[in-house]
Amino acid sequence: MKKLLVLMLIVTLAVGFAPAAAQGGQFAGQTVVVVTQTGRSIGGPVEDYAPEWEAATGGNVELQQFAFGELYEKMIASFETGAIDYDVLIFPADWAGDFMAPGYLEPIPQEILDKLEPEDIIPLYADRITAWGETRYALPYDGDAHMLYYRKDLIFNEEYSAEFEAQYGYPLKEPASWDEYYDMAEFFNGKEVETAGTVAPIYGLAEAMRRDAQSYWVFLSHAAGYGKIPGNPCFFFSCDDMTPQVNNPGWVRALEEYVASRSYGPPEMINWDVADTRVQFPAGVSVFNIDWGDVGPISINPNASVIGGVTGFAPLPGGVQYWDYVKGEWVNEYNQAPFIAFGGWIIGVAAGSDVKEAALDFAAFMARPELVRVLAVTPDTGINPSRYSQLENIDLWVNAGFDEESAADYVDAILNTINHPNAVLDLRIRGSAEYLQTLDVEIARAVEGEISAQEALDNVAAHWNEITDRYGRDSQLAQYRASVGWTGE
């Protein structure tokens, strides 16, 4: 941790920001209202660094934060009513269709983009998630994709491996398939193991399951391996006619397993959101966890983790078979399909802001390369790697507190996820928040045992058709094809 703090101090002093457009108090008397989600993750960096921008420019920053479950409604209401309550919005990239397509956001001037070292940003995060059509409406800030975390000291333990192989017929290893993942979760669930010198029962897994708390992205990570057809980028809908695929047998199998996995985690896991699992897994509660890249830096923070140095990192497991909705049949082939969940938090400026120049300057201040590199290696910022310089420089992570093996393992897991040829991009068309909210509601009903997985996903498909028809099926189809790069071949 000492290394981390020293690094942060050195880098912060070294970059001691000179806001791009603002020097000499030129924004004196202007207040930039920034909105994002509640908590230290994503909002914390604004709290920490805004005073630096205020001192340099004379402007003021007012941070407003809302629970994730109400964040979209707050933002879209500000636009649709014309109130323009917020000048800078830090929001999920998959809301781009709702914010960019109607022209609610200010196009980002090229001179700002040029100062962000654009050649260093991974194209997925530089281009695809920040633009609508040919116009760039947001600044890249965060790089998101789901990955698997596990306890190396337990999975690569000879005694446990022999016991596991006798029971399941194959040795313990980093799980490649969901079948293996669940076998291992079952094997360890309730077993007494040593964690940081203490022997106690451990749970098999810790996954977010609570409604209104980003849990549906965890389910989607399970669904990708069963529902994504290799070579076909159209996962959520058919690219022929926008038929929802959410209730096909692949997705249903994934939800059935997701619901059943409650028995491999703590009883209270049904009420856990992502933030909860980021506390519980590093505390040694479970063998497995699924999350964005945040758990990496948290796992090596001695104030929050007892599993530093024994945490393994890997791309998500795949399905042992997948549903080919084009042919209408199961294909009995292994299918790994890492999920680029969320895509990342990006920064936009309201087109109707009355302090637009100051807002653009503050947005550029928060997205500057030097700061983003610091935030990615700092626990609890919510900012994950999005730049080549973050993933090609092992020393960056070693200096932050990783041992060399763990640093290489962490970086490889991210690169193997975002570079995977069968990776699934998140939904990014008009109404994406509404589509995903209906999924969230019905998943929660299935998890709580109110309805079956099939009933839940049939309900989602019906809702999705209603949403598609309301926005216009032809325009939604065109957006979806463009968003996944569908070429018709």
Side-chain angles (χ1 to χ4, degrees), residues 96-141:
D98 294 289
F99 295 174
M100 297 179 187
Y104 291 147
L105 297 180
E106 179 73 9
I108 303 297
Q110 189 61 45
E111 57 265 32
I112 289 181
L113 297 172
D114 290 343
K115 292 178 180 177
L116 299 182
E117 300 177 8
E119 70 285 350
D120 184 41
I121 308 172
I122 295 166
L124 169 67
Y125 302 120
D127 304 324
R128 298 196 65 167
I129 69 171
T130 58
W132 193 259
E134 299 299 320
T135 304
R136 197 77 58 85
Y137 288 100
L139 297 172
Y141 189 42

mmCIF file of all heavy atoms in Angstrom, residues 96-141:
data_model
loop_
_atom_site.group_PDB
_atom_site.id
_atom_site.type_symbol
_atom_site.label_atom_id
_atom_site.label_comp_id
_atom_site.label_asym_id
_atom_site.label_seq_id
_atom_site.Cartn_x
_atom_site.Cartn_y
_atom_site.Cartn_z
ATOM 1 N N ALA A 96 -25.759 5.585 -24.532
ATOM 2 C CA ALA A 96 -25.404 6.519 -25.599
ATOM 3 C C ALA A 96 -26.576 6.767 -26.547
ATOM 4 O O ALA A 96 -26.801 7.899 -26.982
ATOM 5 C CB ALA A 96 -24.202 5.988 -26.375
ATOM 6 N N GLY A 97 -27.313 5.724 -26.877
ATOM 7 C CA GLY A 97 -28.414 5.895 -27.816
ATOM 8 C C GLY A 97 -29.466 6.854 -27.322
ATOM 9 O O GLY A 97 -30.087 7.587 -28.100
ATOM 10 N N ASP A 98 -29.688 6.877 -26.021
ATOM 11 C CA ASP A 98 -30.701 7.763 -25.439
ATOM 12 C C ASP A 98 -30.192 9.183 -25.265
ATOM 13 O O ASP A 98 -30.985 10.130 -25.262
ATOM 14 C CB ASP A 98 -31.143 7.209 -24.079
ATOM 15 C CG ASP A 98 -31.861 5.887 -24.219
ATOM 16 O OD1 ASP A 98 -33.000 5.882 -24.708
ATOM 17 O OD2 ASP A 98 -31.266 4.854 -23.877
ATOM 18 N N PHE A 99 -28.893 9.349 -25.098
ATOM 19 C CA PHE A 99 -28.351 10.680 -24.847
ATOM 20 C C PHE A 99 -27.745 11.317 -26.104
ATOM 21 O O PHE A 99 -27.843 12.527 -26.295
ATOM 22 C CB PHE A 99 -27.259 10.613 -23.768
ATOM 23 C CG PHE A 99 -27.755 10.199 -22.403
ATOM 24 C CD1 PHE A 99 -26.858 9.971 -21.368
ATOM 25 C CD2 PHE A 99 -29.106 10.047 -22.138
ATOM 26 C CE1 PHE A 99 -27.304 9.600 -20.099
ATOM 27 C CE2 PHE A 99 -29.566 9.667 -20.884
ATOM 28 C CZ PHE A 99 -28.654 9.442 -19.858
ATOM 29 N N MET A 100 -27.105 10.499 -26.933
ATOM 30 C CA MET A 100 -26.405 11.055 -28.097
ATOM 31 C C MET A 100 -27.323 11.186 -29.314
ATOM 32 O O MET A 100 -27.281 12.197 -30.015
ATOM 33 C CB MET A 100 -25.199 10.169 -28.438
ATOM 34 C CG MET A 100 -24.141 10.094 -27.347
ATOM 35 S SD MET A 100 -22.771 9.005 -27.827
ATOM 36 C CE MET A 100 -21.819 8.942 -26.295
ATOM 37 N N ALA A 101 -28.105 10.151 -29.576
ATOM 38 C CA ALA A 101 -28.948 10.176 -30.779
ATOM 39 C C ALA A 101 -29.879 11.386 -30.820
ATOM 40 O O ALA A 101 -30.038 12.009 -31.881
ATOM 41 C CB ALA A 101 -29.740 8.871 -30.888
ATOM 42 N N PRO A 102 -30.509 11.789 -29.695
ATOM 43 C CA PRO A 102 -31.399 12.966 -29.762
ATOM 44 C C PRO A 102 -30.651 14.297 -29.735
ATOM 45 O O PRO A 102 -31.282 15.347 -29.794
ATOM 46 C CB PRO A 102 -32.255 12.823 -28.483
ATOM 47 C CG PRO A 102 -31.995 11.461 -27.949
ATOM 48 C CD PRO A 102 -30.621 11.109 -28.388
ATOM 49 N N GLY A 103 -29.324 14.255 -29.600
ATOM 50 C CA GLY A 103 -28.551 15.493 -29.576
ATOM 51 C C GLY A 103 -28.522 16.166 -28.223
ATOM 52 O O GLY A 103 -28.316 17.380 -28.139
ATOM 53 N N TYR A 104 -28.694 15.395 -27.157
ATOM 54 C CA TYR A 104 -28.686 15.982 -25.816
ATOM 55 C C TYR A 104 -27.274 16.367 -25.354
ATOM 56 O O TYR A 104 -27.118 17.126 -24.406
ATOM 57 C CB TYR A 104 -29.273 14.999 -24.800
ATOM 58 C CG TYR A 104 -30.760 14.763 -24.958
ATOM 59 C CD1 TYR A 104 -31.315 13.513 -24.656
ATOM 60 C CD2 TYR A 104 -31.604 15.779 -25.362
ATOM 61 C CE1 TYR A 104 -32.685 13.291 -24.784
ATOM 62 C CE2 TYR A 104 -32.982 15.560 -25.497
ATOM 63 C CZ TYR A 104 -33.505 14.304 -25.201
ATOM 64 O OH TYR A 104 -34.845 14.091 -25.313
ATOM 65 N N LEU A 105 -26.250 15.779 -25.988
ATOM 66 C CA LEU A 105 -24.882 16.036 -25.554
ATOM 67 C C LEU A 105 -24.142 16.921 -26.563
ATOM 68 O O LEU A 105 -24.424 16.886 -27.769
ATOM 69 C CB LEU A 105 -24.118 14.720 -25.372
ATOM 70 C CG LEU A 105 -24.655 13.770 -24.300
ATOM 71 C CD1 LEU A 105 -23.803 12.502 -24.241
ATOM 72 C CD2 LEU A 105 -24.693 14.439 -22.927
ATOM 73 N N GLU A 106 -23.202 17.663 -26.068
ATOM 74 C CA GLU A 106 -22.394 18.546 -26.889
ATOM 75 C C GLU A 106 -21.308 17.733 -27.610
ATOM 76 O O GLU A 106 -20.592 16.955 -26.963
ATOM 77 C CB GLU A 106 -21.727 19.606 -25.993
ATOM 78 C CG GLU A 106 -20.841 20.589 -26.725
ATOM 79 C CD GLU A 106 -21.630 21.602 -27.545
ATOM 80 O OE1 GLU A 106 -22.883 21.638 -27.409
ATOM 81 O OE2 GLU A 106 -21.006 22.352 -28.304
ATOM 82 N N PRO A 107 -21.161 17.890 -28.912
ATOM 83 C CA PRO A 107 -20.027 17.223 -29.586
ATOM 84 C C PRO A 107 -18.713 17.676 -28.958
ATOM 85 O O PRO A 107 -18.553 18.848 -28.609
ATOM 86 C CB PRO A 107 -20.157 17.710 -31.029
ATOM 87 C CG PRO A 107 -21.606 18.053 -31.195
ATOM 88 C CD PRO A 107 -22.033 18.616 -29.860
ATOM 89 N N ILE A 108 -17.778 16.740 -28.844
ATOM 90 C CA ILE A 108 -16.499 17.048 -28.213
ATOM 91 C C ILE A 108 -15.563 17.670 -29.247
ATOM 92 O O ILE A 108 -15.294 17.061 -30.293
ATOM 93 C CB ILE A 108 -15.854 15.773 -27.630
ATOM 94 C CG1 ILE A 108 -16.812 15.093 -26.632
ATOM 95 C CG2 ILE A 108 -14.525 16.128 -26.964
ATOM 96 C CD1 ILE A 108 -17.155 15.918 -25.417
ATOM 97 N N PRO A 109 -15.050 18.859 -28.992
ATOM 98 C CA PRO A 109 -14.132 19.488 -29.952
ATOM 99 C C PRO A 109 -12.892 18.626 -30.195
ATOM 100 O O PRO A 109 -12.357 18.010 -29.266
ATOM 101 C CB PRO A 109 -13.764 20.806 -29.250
ATOM 102 C CG PRO A 109 -14.901 21.077 -28.315
ATOM 103 C CD PRO A 109 -15.340 19.729 -27.841
ATOM 104 N N GLN A 110 -12.434 18.636 -31.428
ATOM 105 C CA GLN A 110 -11.288 17.807 -31.802
ATOM 106 C C GLN A 110 -10.042 18.179 -31.006
ATOM 107 O O GLN A 110 -9.236 17.309 -30.660
ATOM 108 C CB GLN A 110 -11.011 17.941 -33.300
ATOM 109 C CG GLN A 110 -9.972 16.963 -33.828
ATOM 110 C CD GLN A 110 -10.395 15.508 -33.651
ATOM 111 O OE1 GLN A 110 -11.520 15.145 -33.927
ATOM 112 N NE2 GLN A 110 -9.476 14.668 -33.159
ATOM 113 N N GLU A 111 -9.883 19.468 -30.689
ATOM 114 C CA GLU A 111 -8.669 19.862 -29.965
ATOM 115 C C GLU A 111 -8.621 19.243 -28.567
ATOM 116 O O GLU A 111 -7.523 18.994 -28.034
ATOM 117 C CB GLU A 111 -8.551 21.393 -29.871
ATOM 118 C CG GLU A 111 -9.724 22.094 -29.213
ATOM 119 C CD GLU A 111 -10.738 22.579 -30.225
ATOM 120 O OE1 GLU A 111 -10.884 21.906 -31.276
ATOM 121 O OE2 GLU A 111 -11.383 23.613 -29.983
ATOM 122 N N ILE A 112 -9.776 18.977 -27.974
ATOM 123 C CA ILE A 112 -9.789 18.287 -26.684
ATOM 124 C C ILE A 112 -9.413 16.821 -26.874
ATOM 125 O O ILE A 112 -8.591 16.266 -26.136
ATOM 126 C CB ILE A 112 -11.171 18.417 -26.009
ATOM 127 C CG1 ILE A 112 -11.379 19.860 -25.535
ATOM 128 C CG2 ILE A 112 -11.296 17.434 -24.839
ATOM 129 C CD1 ILE A 112 -12.709 20.090 -24.834
ATOM 130 N N LEU A 113 -10.004 16.182 -27.879
ATOM 131 C CA LEU A 113 -9.695 14.773 -28.132
ATOM 132 C C LEU A 113 -8.212 14.582 -28.428
ATOM 133 O O LEU A 113 -7.604 13.607 -28.000
ATOM 134 C CB LEU A 113 -10.544 14.247 -29.289
ATOM 135 C CG LEU A 113 -12.061 14.247 -29.067
ATOM 136 C CD1 LEU A 113 -12.791 13.901 -30.353
ATOM 137 C CD2 LEU A 113 -12.441 13.273 -27.955
ATOM 138 N N ASP A 114 -7.628 15.533 -29.152
ATOM 139 C CA ASP A 114 -6.212 15.410 -29.533
ATOM 140 C C ASP A 114 -5.279 15.449 -28.327
ATOM 141 O O ASP A 114 -4.157 14.948 -28.388
ATOM 142 C CB ASP A 114 -5.834 16.540 -30.504
ATOM 143 C CG ASP A 114 -6.486 16.360 -31.865
ATOM 144 O OD1 ASP A 114 -6.951 15.251 -32.164
ATOM 145 O OD2 ASP A 114 -6.540 17.357 -32.617
ATOM 146 N N LYS A 115 -5.731 16.063 -27.232
ATOM 147 C CA LYS A 115 -4.878 16.192 -26.049
ATOM 148 C C LYS A 115 -4.956 14.977 -25.120
ATOM 149 O O LYS A 115 -4.309 14.951 -24.081
ATOM 150 C CB LYS A 115 -5.248 17.463 -25.275
ATOM 151 C CG LYS A 115 -4.905 18.743 -26.030
ATOM 152 C CD LYS A 115 -5.336 19.974 -25.266
ATOM 153 C CE LYS A 115 -4.986 21.246 -26.054
ATOM 154 N NZ LYS A 115 -5.459 22.476 -25.376
ATOM 155 N N LEU A 116 -5.785 14.004 -25.475
ATOM 156 C CA LEU A 116 -5.970 12.836 -24.615
ATOM 157 C C LEU A 116 -5.096 11.662 -25.022
ATOM 158 O O LEU A 116 -5.351 10.528 -24.601
ATOM 159 C CB LEU A 116 -7.445 12.412 -24.619
ATOM 160 C CG LEU A 116 -8.449 13.452 -24.108
ATOM 161 C CD1 LEU A 116 -9.862 12.878 -24.133
ATOM 162 C CD2 LEU A 116 -8.087 13.884 -22.683
ATOM 163 N N GLU A 117 -4.050 11.909 -25.820
ATOM 164 C CA GLU A 117 -3.205 10.823 -26.317
ATOM 165 C C GLU A 117 -4.073 9.739 -26.958
ATOM 166 O O GLU A 117 -4.073 8.580 -26.512
ATOM 167 C CB GLU A 117 -2.342 10.245 -25.194
ATOM 168 C CG GLU A 117 -1.397 11.246 -24.554
ATOM 169 C CD GLU A 117 -0.606 10.653 -23.405
ATOM 170 O OE1 GLU A 117 -0.675 9.426 -23.192
ATOM 171 O OE2 GLU A 117 0.084 11.423 -22.705
ATOM 172 N N PRO A 118 -4.830 10.098 -27.985
ATOM 173 C CA PRO A 118 -5.820 9.157 -28.542
ATOM 174 C C PRO A 118 -5.216 7.861 -29.054
ATOM 175 O O PRO A 118 -5.880 6.822 -29.048
ATOM 176 C CB PRO A 118 -6.472 9.970 -29.666
ATOM 177 C CG PRO A 118 -5.506 11.063 -29.982
ATOM 178 C CD PRO A 118 -4.836 11.396 -28.686
ATOM 179 N N GLU A 119 -3.956 7.916 -29.501
ATOM 180 C CA GLU A 119 -3.333 6.692 -30.018
ATOM 181 C C GLU A 119 -3.090 5.660 -28.914
ATOM 182 O O GLU A 119 -2.861 4.476 -29.197
ATOM 183 C CB GLU A 119 -2.002 7.026 -30.709
ATOM 184 C CG GLU A 119 -0.877 7.469 -29.797
ATOM 185 C CD GLU A 119 -1.033 8.900 -29.281
ATOM 186 O OE1 GLU A 119 -1.919 9.635 -29.772
ATOM 187 O OE2 GLU A 119 -0.264 9.282 -28.380
ATOM 188 N N ASP A 120 -3.148 6.100 -27.656
ATOM 189 C CA ASP A 120 -2.915 5.200 -26.524
ATOM 190 C C ASP A 120 -4.197 4.497 -26.069
ATOM 191 O O ASP A 120 -4.146 3.536 -25.316
ATOM 192 C CB ASP A 120 -2.320 6.008 -25.350
ATOM 193 C CG ASP A 120 -1.953 5.144 -24.161
ATOM 194 O OD1 ASP A 120 -1.411 4.043 -24.382
ATOM 195 O OD2 ASP A 120 -2.243 5.551 -23.016
ATOM 196 N N ILE A 121 -5.351 5.008 -26.488
ATOM 197 C CA ILE A 121 -6.622 4.457 -26.009
ATOM 198 C C ILE A 121 -7.027 3.265 -26.875
ATOM 199 O O ILE A 121 -7.002 3.343 -28.108
ATOM 200 C CB ILE A 121 -7.734 5.521 -26.046
ATOM 201 C CG1 ILE A 121 -7.274 6.788 -25.306
ATOM 202 C CG2 ILE A 121 -9.009 4.983 -25.395
ATOM 203 C CD1 ILE A 121 -8.225 7.953 -25.454
ATOM 204 N N ILE A 122 -7.396 2.167 -26.239
ATOM 205 C CA ILE A 122 -7.846 0.979 -26.963
ATOM 206 C C ILE A 122 -9.080 1.355 -27.781
ATOM 207 O O ILE A 122 -10.006 1.968 -27.257
ATOM 208 C CB ILE A 122 -8.170 -0.145 -25.968
ATOM 209 C CG1 ILE A 122 -6.882 -0.570 -25.249
ATOM 210 C CG2 ILE A 122 -8.812 -1.338 -26.667
ATOM 211 C CD1 ILE A 122 -7.108 -1.425 -24.029
ATOM 212 N N PRO A 123 -9.104 1.055 -29.078
ATOM 213 C CA PRO A 123 -10.189 1.529 -29.956
ATOM 214 C C PRO A 123 -11.585 1.238 -29.427
ATOM 215 O O PRO A 123 -12.501 2.054 -29.597
ATOM 216 C CB PRO A 123 -9.910 0.789 -31.266
ATOM 217 C CG PRO A 123 -8.420 0.605 -31.267
ATOM 218 C CD PRO A 123 -8.061 0.346 -29.827
ATOM 219 N N LEU A 124 -11.776 0.091 -28.790
ATOM 220 C CA LEU A 124 -13.092 -0.222 -28.226
ATOM 221 C C LEU A 124 -13.577 0.897 -27.319
ATOM 222 O O LEU A 124 -14.755 1.257 -27.330
ATOM 223 C CB LEU A 124 -13.005 -1.525 -27.425
ATOM 224 C CG LEU A 124 -14.210 -1.881 -26.537
ATOM 225 C CD1 LEU A 124 -15.428 -2.187 -27.404
ATOM 226 C CD2 LEU A 124 -13.882 -3.062 -25.632
ATOM 227 N N TYR A 125 -12.665 1.460 -26.530
ATOM 228 C CA TYR A 125 -13.050 2.494 -25.572
ATOM 229 C C TYR A 125 -12.897 3.906 -26.149
ATOM 230 O O TYR A 125 -13.539 4.844 -25.672
ATOM 231 C CB TYR A 125 -12.198 2.356 -24.310
ATOM 232 C CG TYR A 125 -12.327 1.001 -23.662
ATOM 233 C CD1 TYR A 125 -11.225 0.168 -23.486
ATOM 234 C CD2 TYR A 125 -13.575 0.527 -23.249
ATOM 235 C CE1 TYR A 125 -11.349 -1.092 -22.912
ATOM 236 C CE2 TYR A 125 -13.708 -0.727 -22.683
ATOM 237 C CZ TYR A 125 -12.590 -1.535 -22.514
ATOM 238 O OH TYR A 125 -12.732 -2.784 -21.957
ATOM 239 N N ALA A 126 -12.070 4.062 -27.169
ATOM 240 C CA ALA A 126 -11.857 5.393 -27.748
ATOM 241 C C ALA A 126 -12.933 5.748 -28.753
ATOM 242 O O ALA A 126 -13.371 6.893 -28.834
ATOM 243 C CB ALA A 126 -10.497 5.448 -28.438
ATOM 244 N N ASP A 127 -13.382 4.768 -29.520
ATOM 245 C CA ASP A 127 -14.264 5.068 -30.648
ATOM 246 C C ASP A 127 -15.687 4.544 -30.452
ATOM 247 O O ASP A 127 -16.643 5.305 -30.513
ATOM 248 C CB ASP A 127 -13.675 4.452 -31.928
ATOM 249 C CG ASP A 127 -12.249 4.930 -32.171
ATOM 250 O OD1 ASP A 127 -11.961 6.100 -31.868
ATOM 251 O OD2 ASP A 127 -11.431 4.126 -32.661
ATOM 252 N N ARG A 128 -15.799 3.253 -30.220
ATOM 253 C CA ARG A 128 -17.123 2.629 -30.292
ATOM 254 C C ARG A 128 -18.076 3.096 -29.214
ATOM 255 O O ARG A 128 -19.271 3.178 -29.431
ATOM 256 C CB ARG A 128 -16.990 1.098 -30.232
ATOM 257 C CG ARG A 128 -16.210 0.539 -31.398
ATOM 258 C CD ARG A 128 -16.414 -0.944 -31.544
ATOM 259 N NE ARG A 128 -17.800 -1.264 -31.889
ATOM 260 C CZ ARG A 128 -18.195 -2.434 -32.316
ATOM 261 N NH1 ARG A 128 -17.325 -3.393 -32.478
ATOM 262 N NH2 ARG A 128 -19.456 -2.662 -32.600
ATOM 263 N N ILE A 129 -17.554 3.391 -28.026
ATOM 264 C CA ILE A 129 -18.493 3.704 -26.940
ATOM 265 C C ILE A 129 -18.666 5.197 -26.712
ATOM 266 O O ILE A 129 -19.509 5.596 -25.925
ATOM 267 C CB ILE A 129 -18.064 3.037 -25.616
ATOM 268 C CG1 ILE A 129 -16.784 3.660 -25.067
ATOM 269 C CG2 ILE A 129 -17.900 1.545 -25.803
ATOM 270 C CD1 ILE A 129 -16.455 3.169 -23.666
ATOM 271 N N THR A 130 -17.886 6.024 -27.386
ATOM 272 C CA THR A 130 -17.970 7.467 -27.135
ATOM 273 C C THR A 130 -18.615 8.226 -28.288
ATOM 274 O O THR A 130 -18.812 9.429 -28.186
ATOM 275 C CB THR A 130 -16.578 8.064 -26.892
ATOM 276 O OG1 THR A 130 -15.747 7.795 -28.017
ATOM 277 C CG2 THR A 130 -15.960 7.494 -25.628
ATOM 278 N N ALA A 131 -18.906 7.544 -29.389
ATOM 279 C CA ALA A 131 -19.433 8.228 -30.573
ATOM 280 C C ALA A 131 -20.811 7.695 -30.945
ATOM 281 O O ALA A 131 -21.202 6.582 -30.581
ATOM 282 C CB ALA A 131 -18.474 8.052 -31.736
ATOM 283 N N TRP A 132 -21.538 8.533 -31.661
ATOM 284 C CA TRP A 132 -22.808 8.113 -32.263
ATOM 285 C C TRP A 132 -22.718 8.523 -33.722
ATOM 286 O O TRP A 132 -22.625 9.715 -34.021
ATOM 287 C CB TRP A 132 -23.984 8.783 -31.570
ATOM 288 C CG TRP A 132 -25.291 8.149 -31.942
ATOM 289 C CD1 TRP A 132 -26.211 8.611 -32.835
ATOM 290 C CD2 TRP A 132 -25.806 6.911 -31.437
ATOM 291 N NE1 TRP A 132 -27.279 7.744 -32.931
ATOM 292 C CE2 TRP A 132 -27.056 6.689 -32.076
ATOM 293 C CE3 TRP A 132 -25.341 5.964 -30.530
ATOM 294 C CZ2 TRP A 132 -27.843 5.567 -31.807
ATOM 295 C CZ3 TRP A 132 -26.130 4.840 -30.274
ATOM 296 C CH2 TRP A 132 -27.357 4.660 -30.896
ATOM 297 N N GLY A 133 -22.699 7.533 -34.589
ATOM 298 C CA GLY A 133 -22.413 7.838 -35.977
ATOM 299 C C GLY A 133 -20.962 8.285 -36.088
ATOM 300 O O GLY A 133 -20.062 7.645 -35.552
ATOM 301 N N GLU A 134 -20.753 9.391 -36.749
ATOM 302 C CA GLU A 134 -19.403 9.890 -36.947
ATOM 303 C C GLU A 134 -19.010 10.944 -35.920
ATOM 304 O O GLU A 134 -17.905 11.488 -35.976
ATOM 305 C CB GLU A 134 -19.279 10.492 -38.357
ATOM 306 C CG GLU A 134 -19.545 9.514 -39.486
ATOM 307 C CD GLU A 134 -18.572 8.349 -39.489
ATOM 308 O OE1 GLU A 134 -17.377 8.584 -39.238
ATOM 309 O OE2 GLU A 134 -19.010 7.202 -39.719
ATOM 310 N N THR A 135 -19.920 11.264 -35.011
ATOM 311 C CA THR A 135 -19.677 12.362 -34.080
ATOM 312 C C THR A 135 -19.321 11.853 -32.691
ATOM 313 O O THR A 135 -20.004 10.967 -32.154
ATOM 314 C CB THR A 135 -20.925 13.267 -33.979
ATOM 315 O OG1 THR A 135 -21.265 13.721 -35.293
ATOM 316 C CG2 THR A 135 -20.658 14.470 -33.083
ATOM 317 N N ARG A 136 -18.289 12.395 -32.109
ATOM 318 C CA ARG A 136 -17.847 12.024 -30.756
ATOM 319 C C ARG A 136 -18.559 12.915 -29.742
ATOM 320 O O ARG A 136 -18.401 14.140 -29.766
ATOM 321 C CB ARG A 136 -16.339 12.189 -30.645
ATOM 322 C CG ARG A 136 -15.713 11.457 -29.462
ATOM 323 C CD ARG A 136 -15.592 9.979 -29.727
ATOM 324 N NE ARG A 136 -14.807 9.711 -30.926
ATOM 325 C CZ ARG A 136 -13.482 9.643 -30.930
ATOM 326 N NH1 ARG A 136 -12.814 9.800 -29.821
ATOM 327 N NH2 ARG A 136 -12.822 9.418 -32.051
ATOM 328 N N TYR A 137 -19.358 12.292 -28.871
ATOM 329 C CA TYR A 137 -20.143 13.041 -27.905
ATOM 330 C C TYR A 137 -19.644 12.860 -26.463
ATOM 331 O O TYR A 137 -20.227 13.410 -25.542
ATOM 332 C CB TYR A 137 -21.613 12.608 -27.951
ATOM 333 C CG TYR A 137 -22.355 13.076 -29.172
ATOM 334 C CD1 TYR A 137 -22.560 12.219 -30.248
ATOM 335 C CD2 TYR A 137 -22.862 14.368 -29.250
ATOM 336 C CE1 TYR A 137 -23.257 12.637 -31.377
ATOM 337 C CE2 TYR A 137 -23.562 14.795 -30.372
ATOM 338 C CZ TYR A 137 -23.760 13.919 -31.429
ATOM 339 O OH TYR A 137 -24.450 14.339 -32.537
ATOM 340 N N ALA A 138 -18.642 12.051 -26.277
ATOM 341 C CA ALA A 138 -18.187 11.793 -24.911
ATOM 342 C C ALA A 138 -16.690 11.559 -24.891
ATOM 343 O O ALA A 138 -16.068 11.228 -25.914
ATOM 344 C CB ALA A 138 -18.911 10.580 -24.325
ATOM 345 N N LEU A 139 -16.122 11.731 -23.717
ATOM 346 C CA LEU A 139 -14.701 11.478 -23.518
ATOM 347 C C LEU A 139 -14.513 10.096 -22.896
ATOM 348 O O LEU A 139 -15.249 9.728 -21.971
ATOM 349 C CB LEU A 139 -14.105 12.536 -22.592
ATOM 350 C CG LEU A 139 -14.143 13.975 -23.109
ATOM 351 C CD1 LEU A 139 -13.702 14.942 -22.022
ATOM 352 C CD2 LEU A 139 -13.257 14.113 -24.329
ATOM 353 N N PRO A 140 -13.539 9.333 -23.367
ATOM 354 C CA PRO A 140 -13.270 8.032 -22.746
ATOM 355 C C PRO A 140 -12.724 8.238 -21.336
ATOM 356 O O PRO A 140 -11.961 9.160 -21.075
ATOM 357 C CB PRO A 140 -12.219 7.423 -23.679
ATOM 358 C CG PRO A 140 -11.559 8.593 -24.331
ATOM 359 C CD PRO A 140 -12.609 9.645 -24.463
ATOM 360 N N TYR A 141 -13.144 7.369 -20.432
ATOM 361 C CA TYR A 141 -12.758 7.533 -19.026
ATOM 362 C C TYR A 141 -12.391 6.197 -18.384
ATOM 363 O O TYR A 141 -11.407 6.088 -17.681
ATOM 364 C CB TYR A 141 -13.930 8.180 -18.291
ATOM 365 C CG TYR A 141 -13.666 8.640 -16.872
ATOM 366 C CD1 TYR A 141 -12.491 9.286 -16.523
ATOM 367 C CD2 TYR A 141 -14.627 8.453 -15.886
ATOM 368 C CE1 TYR A 141 -12.281 9.736 -15.220
ATOM 369 C CE2 TYR A 141 -14.429 8.903 -14.586
ATOM 370 C CZ TYR A 141 -13.247 9.542 -14.258
ATOM 371 O OH TYR A 141 -13.043 9.984 -12.971
#
